[in-house]
mmCIF file of all heavy atoms in Angstrom:
data_model
loop_
_atom_site.group_PDB
_atom_site.id
_atom_site.type_symbol
_atom_site.label_atom_id
_atom_site.label_comp_id
_atom_site.label_asym_id
_atom_site.label_seq_id
_atom_site.Cartn_x
_atom_site.Cartn_y
_atom_site.Cartn_z
ATOM 1 N N LYS A 12 -2.057 33.729 -10.247
ATOM 2 C CA LYS A 12 -2.398 35.076 -9.754
ATOM 3 C C LYS A 12 -3.838 35.105 -9.260
ATOM 4 O O LYS A 12 -4.729 34.545 -9.908
ATOM 5 C CB LYS A 12 -2.224 36.075 -10.911
ATOM 6 C CG LYS A 12 -2.358 37.548 -10.515
ATOM 7 C CD LYS A 12 -1.864 38.416 -11.660
ATOM 8 C CE LYS A 12 -2.233 39.879 -11.527
ATOM 9 N NZ LYS A 12 -1.977 40.491 -10.235
ATOM 10 N N VAL A 58 3.530 20.200 -24.081
ATOM 11 C CA VAL A 58 2.628 19.279 -24.764
ATOM 12 C C VAL A 58 3.067 17.833 -24.547
ATOM 13 O O VAL A 58 4.256 17.549 -24.350
ATOM 14 C CB VAL A 58 2.548 19.560 -26.284
ATOM 15 C CG1 VAL A 58 2.016 20.940 -26.563
ATOM 16 C CG2 VAL A 58 3.919 19.354 -26.937
ATOM 17 N N ASN A 62 4.086 9.897 -29.507
ATOM 18 C CA ASN A 62 5.074 9.216 -30.359
ATOM 19 C C ASN A 62 6.462 9.204 -29.724
ATOM 20 O O ASN A 62 7.343 8.478 -30.166
ATOM 21 C CB ASN A 62 5.142 9.900 -31.728
ATOM 22 C CG ASN A 62 3.817 9.789 -32.453
ATOM 23 O OD1 ASN A 62 3.098 8.796 -32.276
ATOM 24 N ND2 ASN A 62 3.450 10.815 -33.196
ATOM 25 N N LYS A 149 -6.600 4.091 -6.270
ATOM 26 C CA LYS A 149 -7.109 4.175 -4.886
ATOM 27 C C LYS A 149 -6.999 2.859 -4.126
ATOM 28 O O LYS A 149 -6.745 2.840 -2.926
ATOM 29 C CB LYS A 149 -8.533 4.724 -4.852
ATOM 30 C CG LYS A 149 -9.596 3.799 -5.351
ATOM 31 C CD LYS A 149 -10.966 4.476 -5.303
ATOM 32 C CE LYS A 149 -12.000 3.486 -5.834
ATOM 33 N NZ LYS A 149 -13.206 4.146 -6.303
ATOM 34 N N PHE A 157 -8.107 11.276 -0.946
ATOM 35 C CA PHE A 157 -7.062 12.272 -1.178
ATOM 36 C C PHE A 157 -7.466 13.535 -0.433
ATOM 37 O O PHE A 157 -8.636 13.708 -0.048
ATOM 38 C CB PHE A 157 -6.846 12.541 -2.689
ATOM 39 C CG PHE A 157 -8.033 13.114 -3.424
ATOM 40 C CD1 PHE A 157 -8.229 14.490 -3.521
ATOM 41 C CD2 PHE A 157 -8.979 12.267 -4.016
ATOM 42 C CE1 PHE A 157 -9.327 15.006 -4.211
ATOM 43 C CE2 PHE A 157 -10.078 12.778 -4.701
ATOM 44 C CZ PHE A 157 -10.247 14.148 -4.793
ATOM 45 N N LYS A 162 -3.906 26.982 -0.688
ATOM 46 C CA LYS A 162 -3.583 28.135 0.161
ATOM 47 C C LYS A 162 -3.837 29.442 -0.587
ATOM 48 O O LYS A 162 -3.940 29.462 -1.814
ATOM 49 C CB LYS A 162 -2.137 28.032 0.624
ATOM 50 C CG LYS A 162 -1.893 26.702 1.370
ATOM 51 C CD LYS A 162 -0.998 26.796 2.545
ATOM 52 C CE LYS A 162 -1.064 25.476 3.338
ATOM 53 N NZ LYS A 162 0.245 25.037 3.812
ATOM 54 N N ASN A 170 -2.500 15.392 -1.159
ATOM 55 C CA ASN A 170 -1.958 14.137 -0.641
ATOM 56 C C ASN A 170 -2.875 13.005 -1.060
ATOM 57 O O ASN A 170 -4.095 13.192 -1.138
ATOM 58 C CB ASN A 170 -1.849 14.177 0.890
ATOM 59 C CG ASN A 170 -0.845 15.235 1.356
ATOM 60 O OD1 ASN A 170 -0.016 15.701 0.573
ATOM 61 N ND2 ASN A 170 -0.936 15.616 2.610
ATOM 62 N N LEU A 224 -14.274 30.562 -7.589
ATOM 63 C CA LEU A 224 -15.075 31.302 -6.603
ATOM 64 C C LEU A 224 -16.006 30.389 -5.808
ATOM 65 O O LEU A 224 -16.068 29.190 -6.028
ATOM 66 C CB LEU A 224 -15.872 32.399 -7.325
ATOM 67 C CG LEU A 224 -15.037 33.380 -8.171
ATOM 68 C CD1 LEU A 224 -15.944 34.439 -8.799
ATOM 69 C CD2 LEU A 224 -13.936 34.026 -7.339
ATOM 70 N N LEU A 226 -19.791 29.900 -5.312
ATOM 71 C CA LEU A 226 -21.033 30.244 -6.010
ATOM 72 C C LEU A 226 -22.214 29.686 -5.222
ATOM 73 O O LEU A 226 -22.336 28.472 -5.047
ATOM 74 C CB LEU A 226 -21.015 29.675 -7.436
ATOM 75 C CG LEU A 226 -19.779 30.073 -8.268
ATOM 76 C CD1 LEU A 226 -19.832 29.424 -9.654
ATOM 77 C CD2 LEU A 226 -19.660 31.593 -8.376
ATOM 78 N N LYS A 229 -28.799 32.704 -4.999
ATOM 79 C CA LYS A 229 -28.979 34.155 -5.138
ATOM 80 C C LYS A 229 -29.405 34.811 -3.819
ATOM 81 O O LYS A 229 -28.894 35.859 -3.437
ATOM 82 C CB LYS A 229 -30.074 34.365 -6.192
ATOM 83 C CG LYS A 229 -29.987 35.653 -7.006
ATOM 84 C CD LYS A 229 -31.156 35.672 -8.008
ATOM 85 C CE LYS A 229 -31.224 36.981 -8.741
ATOM 86 N NZ LYS A 229 -30.666 36.871 -10.112
ATOM 87 N N TYR A 236 -24.245 40.451 0.632
ATOM 88 C CA TYR A 236 -23.793 41.766 0.153
ATOM 89 C C TYR A 236 -24.614 42.915 0.715
ATOM 90 O O TYR A 236 -24.177 44.064 0.716
ATOM 91 C CB TYR A 236 -23.737 41.789 -1.379
ATOM 92 C CG TYR A 236 -22.560 41.019 -1.917
ATOM 93 C CD1 TYR A 236 -22.718 39.834 -2.644
ATOM 94 C CD2 TYR A 236 -21.258 41.437 -1.630
ATOM 95 C CE1 TYR A 236 -21.625 39.123 -3.092
ATOM 96 C CE2 TYR A 236 -20.159 40.723 -2.076
ATOM 97 C CZ TYR A 236 -20.337 39.564 -2.804
ATOM 98 O OH TYR A 236 -19.266 38.849 -3.235
ATOM 99 N N GLY A 241 -22.115 49.994 -0.001
ATOM 100 C CA GLY A 241 -21.623 50.271 -1.355
ATOM 101 C C GLY A 241 -21.507 49.051 -2.243
ATOM 102 O O GLY A 241 -21.067 49.150 -3.384
ATOM 103 N N PRO A 282 -9.168 43.280 -7.167
ATOM 104 C CA PRO A 282 -9.577 44.650 -7.539
ATOM 105 C C PRO A 282 -10.088 44.677 -8.989
ATOM 106 O O PRO A 282 -9.537 43.975 -9.838
ATOM 107 C CB PRO A 282 -8.291 45.452 -7.414
ATOM 108 C CG PRO A 282 -7.291 44.603 -6.761
ATOM 109 C CD PRO A 282 -7.733 43.181 -6.872
ATOM 110 N N GLY A 306 -16.017 26.426 -4.459
ATOM 111 C CA GLY A 306 -14.761 26.468 -5.205
ATOM 112 C C GLY A 306 -13.597 26.890 -4.333
ATOM 113 O O GLY A 306 -13.674 26.857 -3.090
ATOM 114 N N VAL A 308 -12.298 29.614 -3.302
ATOM 115 C CA VAL A 308 -12.482 30.614 -2.230
ATOM 116 C C VAL A 308 -12.897 29.918 -0.931
ATOM 117 O O VAL A 308 -12.452 30.302 0.157
ATOM 118 C CB VAL A 308 -13.526 31.675 -2.656
ATOM 119 C CG1 VAL A 308 -14.068 32.463 -1.473
ATOM 120 C CG2 VAL A 308 -12.912 32.627 -3.684
#
Side-chain angles (χ1 to χ4, degrees):
K12 188 168 167 48
V58 299
N62 297 328
K149 72 182 180 202
F157 62 90
K162 303 219 169 139
N170 296 343
L224 305 182
L226 306 178
K229 209 180 174 102
Y236 286 113
V308 162

